[in-house]
Amino acid sequence: MPLTSPSAPPWDVHRLPRADGRVFLVTGGNAGIGYFTAEQLSATGATVVLGSRDPARAEAAVASIRSRVPGAAVRAVRLDLADLSSLTAVVESLEVSALDAVVHNAGVALDDPPRRETRDGHELMFGTNHLGHFALTGRLLPLLSAAPAARVVTVGSFAAKSERLDLDDLPSRREYRAGRTYGRSKLAQMYFGLELDRRLRGRGSPVRSVVVHPGGALDSLTPPRPPVHERGLGARLVAAPAALFVQGKHAGAWPAVRAVLDPAVRGGQLWGPRLFGLRGAPRQEAVWSHLADTAVAARLWDASCDLTGTDPGS
């Protein structure tokens, strides 16, 4: 089944469709892939809200977008996914009656031990990347349901492709390795995004959930956006050979932007870069075999409900 009708023009990452009057929330919109997702969505005429736990960095990102997108309707709200008790206030601070899309992009990636925890006592990466977005979705669903065809877009990671969840040790208490725990936290997000769509369809909701990943996205291949992102000549020279295989974070944002805007994208799909899943224009790809395990997704869902006190599918 084709992704677009024969008369529809091919998707062009540099010529996005208009989205005037729509409202999008991008978590972690002050830096990296989240920043470029927000910048690109702002160019469509939509209102874009950046969720960030750092007000100063958020305002710098807002200023950068406004300098590059004349007339951009962009603003920021304080969002700390590591503090579940704060999320209700975040939703209220949006001050909108409907939300057309949320891009679950924010994340924590630790390189080294020691193991750290959120305010709620969850391992920091799993608690922020997965549980925070899980709980936030539950609070946002009334606003999403009020829009005609809203989308929840969850940004996973290519690093999750080689990981498997340990459902008996989701907090990584028995054995903690930062890289593995990060990959599993992103895998949990991706399971969540697919399971959310199944549950939304099961209850007849018009909201759809899509999972994307950015492929290989490096800071050193990312165009400068001072003071949000700066790179020196040395970094550019060192990264040049890698450009054959991976890309910058501006391109890493393309699958999420398409998942928000393209009416041909359907709930329950996985989107990533065209070339080996690492770089290039966004395309739909087959759901990874382990992500298709609905029994694992259901167990993770139940555990996440218990850990957050929230059920986004109810």
Side-chain angles (χ1 to χ4, degrees):
M1 179 176 173
L3 294 178
T4 57
S5 66
S7 60
W11 187 262
D12 186 340
V13 297
H14 301 296
R15 304 183 75 172
L16 300 175
R18 300 294 298 177
D20 301 86
R22 297 166 70 184
V23 181
F24 306 137
L25 170 64
V26 181
T27 73
N30 61 280
I33 290 167
Y35 169 83
F36 284 97
T37 299
E39 181 184 282
Q40 291 165 31
L41 290 175
S42 293
T44 68
T47 295
V48 180
V49 184
L50 281 58
S52 171
R53 64 173 181 258
D54 187 326
R57 294 182 69 190
E59 287 307 317
V62 167
S64 177
I65 291 173
R66 287 177 176 165
S67 72
R68 300 187 66 85
V69 183
V74 59
R75 58 189 176 90
V77 296
R78 191 175 188 282
L79 170 64
D80 185 357
L81 293 166
D83 181 3
L84 299 182
S85 66
S86 70
L87 298 182
T88 298
V90 172
V91 176
E92 294 171 352
S93 71
L94 293 175
E95 298 181 338
V96 296
S97 58
L99 183 65
D100 294 279
V102 56
V103 180
H104 289 327
N105 160 83
V108 174
L110 301 180
D111 296 325
D112 299 301
R115 181 181 178 278
R116 295 167 57 190
E117 293 188 345
T118 68
R119 180 185 291 267
D120 303 287
H122 306 302
E123 188 281 318
L124 184 62
M125 289 183 281
F126 180 75
T128 301
N129 303 354
H130 170 60
L131 294 179
H133 284 119
F134 184 92
L136 178 63
T137 301
R139 290 162 173 81
L140 288 174
L141 268 178
L143 293 179
L144 292 163
S145 299
R151 295 182 180 184
V152 178
V153 178
T154 299
V155 181
S157 171
F158 200 74
K161 195 167 189 176
S162 60
E163 293 295 344
R164 299 297 183 271
L165 292 181
D166 183 349
L167 291 166
D168 296 318
D169 188 29
L170 290 173
S172 299
R173 287 197 175 94
R174 285 201 299 262
E175 184 182 1
Y176 174 80
R177 284 185 287 165
R180 185 188 66 179
T181 298
Y182 170 75
R184 288 180 173 181
S185 75
K186 300 302 287 184
L187 178 60
Q189 278 190 270
M190 298 173 82
Y191 269 117
F192 160 63
L194 297 173
E195 180 68 10
L196 175 64
D197 194 72
R198 286 189 284 267
R199 294 181 183 238
L200 290 172
R201 281 187 280 119
R203 59 184 258 198
S205 171
V207 181
R208 290 293 176 259
S209 177
V210 185
V211 176
V212 304
H213 72 87
L218 303 183
D219 280 331
S220 53
L221 294 174
T222 302
R225 293 291 189 273
V228 176
H229 170 70
E230 301 183 67
R231 59 175 186 167
L233 176 60
R236 294 200 301 271
L237 293 175
V238 169
L244 295 172
F245 307 101
V246 293
Q247 59 195 355
K249 294 192 174 180
H250 62 302
W254 291 343
V257 171
R258 183 167 187 176
V260 169
L261 296 173
D262 188 351
V265 174
R266 299 287 181 258
Q269 293 179 342
L270 172 64
W271 285 72
R274 183 174 300 278
L275 299 176
F276 308 108
L278 290 172
R279 68 183 297 269
R283 66 158 185 179
Q284 184 190 350
E285 58 184 83
V287 173
W288 303 339
S289 58
H290 56 306
L291 279 176
D293 190 330
T294 57
V296 170
R299 286 185 60 191
L300 173 65
W301 187 281
D302 290 342
S304 302
C305 290
D306 291 341
L307 291 168
T308 62
T310 304
D311 187 349
S314 62

